[in-house]
Amino acid sequence: MPIKIAALVGVNTNLLTHREARSSHVKSSATHGANRPGSNIPENLDEFNQIFDKKRDRECAKDIYTVLARCTLAILAEDYVYEEVKASLLEYPAFETKFNIPKKLNYRKIYNPTAIKKEKDVGTNAVPFVFEGANSKPKAPTKKWLYAKLRNYGKYGVGTGATQQNTMSEITNSKANAYLLTDKQGKLDLTDQGMIAAVLCEKTYIASPNITIRLLR
């Protein structure tokens, strides 16, 4: 059967050196079988023209069958052999490069999903370049973001939705004593008083929901 499939999809049968799938490639513990050609092998790929009406579906069916057939046949070929090359700068060994040089393509002559690039030999000189990167500007905090944080605290049993709404109203009310945030079209920013409170509370017990639970109990 593999010989017939190979002839159908244009694979050189000389590459099929194994007549049975190797255990290293096919696992008996798999929960389901892999996609592969069945025992009903068409005489030629044009038989798909009789199954599908649209030309697009015909070509798609041919392509799918060809890929599945080549993947299956690749299991019967020898392993891909390559030479791994590593090199580093003499004075800066931390700057290292690594690539593979193909020696024997074997199964990759049947199915090779990624084209193998021909690597150049390692030279004696390095050409430095400077890469500059910068973190993207963080998004401005919004009411939506803050309410999501408060909802996460809900699993601790601290504050209901109504309490959260009321607290938000208080800390964004410019006439209230606890005026910690400004609210401009849903975007939040700390007031001077809010900044002081944030700095004072950072990494303290008062900022921990677990401590709040202990206090309430």
Side-chain angles (χ1 to χ4, degrees):
M1 187 171 69
I3 302 300
K4 187 175 181 180
I5 295 176
L8 178 64
V9 296
V11 170
N12 184 352
T13 55
N14 292 329
L15 295 171
L16 308 179
T17 53
H18 296 267
R19 289 296 177 257
E20 294 183 1
R22 288 168 286 173
S23 59
S24 59
H25 293 64
V26 179
K27 305 298 182 182
S28 58
S29 60
T31 56
H32 61 83
N35 291 328
R36 59 189 183 276
S39 57
N40 186 13
I41 304 171
E43 293 298 326
N44 57 70
L45 295 178
D46 289 336
E47 287 189 18
F48 289 104
N49 296 341
Q50 303 172 11
I51 302 174
F52 299 96
D53 297 329
K54 295 181 180 180
K55 181 179 179 181
R56 180 189 60 186
D57 295 338
R58 296 172 185 170
E59 296 304 317
C60 183
K62 293 177 184 178
D63 290 341
I64 291 174
Y65 188 91
T66 299
V67 170
L68 291 178
R70 284 181 170 271
C71 285
T72 303
L73 293 173
I75 298 176
L76 305 178
E78 296 296 329
D79 292 335
Y80 166 55
V81 180
Y82 59 88
E83 178 183 342
E84 185 180 71
V85 178
K86 292 182 179 179
S88 61
L89 298 181
L90 184 62
E91 296 182 2
Y92 303 95
F95 291 88
E96 185 181 86
T97 184
K98 181 172 65 175
F99 56 86
N100 299 329
I101 299 178
K103 293 300 181 181
K104 296 180 180 180
L105 294 179
N106 292 331
Y107 85 85
R108 290 199 175 192
K109 286 184 178 181
I110 300 174
Y111 180 71
N112 184 17
T114 57
I116 300 175
K117 296 181 180 179
K118 186 177 181 181
E119 301 285 355
K120 297 180 180 180
D121 294 332
V122 178
T124 56
N125 296 312
V127 180
F129 68 92
V130 178
F131 176 79
E132 182 179 354
N135 294 329
S136 58
K137 184 178 179 180
K139 295 182 179 179
T142 62
K143 276 189 174 182
K144 182 178 179 182
W145 168 82
L146 185 54
Y147 280 131
K149 290 288 185 181
L150 294 174
R151 280 195 298 271
N152 289 336
Y153 286 139
K155 64 184 179 181
Y156 297 100
V158 180
T160 62
T163 303
Q164 295 168 7
Q165 292 278 355
N166 185 59
T167 303
M168 175 68 76
S169 177
E170 289 182 2
I171 64 177
T172 57
N173 183 0
S174 59
K175 297 180 181 180
N177 293 328
Y179 178 40
L180 305 178
L181 295 172
T182 59
D183 177 12
K184 295 181 179 178
Q185 297 180 344
K187 291 185 178 181
L188 303 175
D189 196 6
L190 287 170
T191 62
D192 291 342
Q193 185 176 341
M195 179 64 74
I196 294 172
V199 172
L200 291 176
C201 293
E202 186 179 11
K203 296 181 180 179
T204 64
Y205 284 156
I206 198 172
S208 170
N210 291 316
I211 296 301
T212 302
I213 291 175
R214 290 172 58 184
L215 289 174
L216 291 176
R217 289 176 179 174

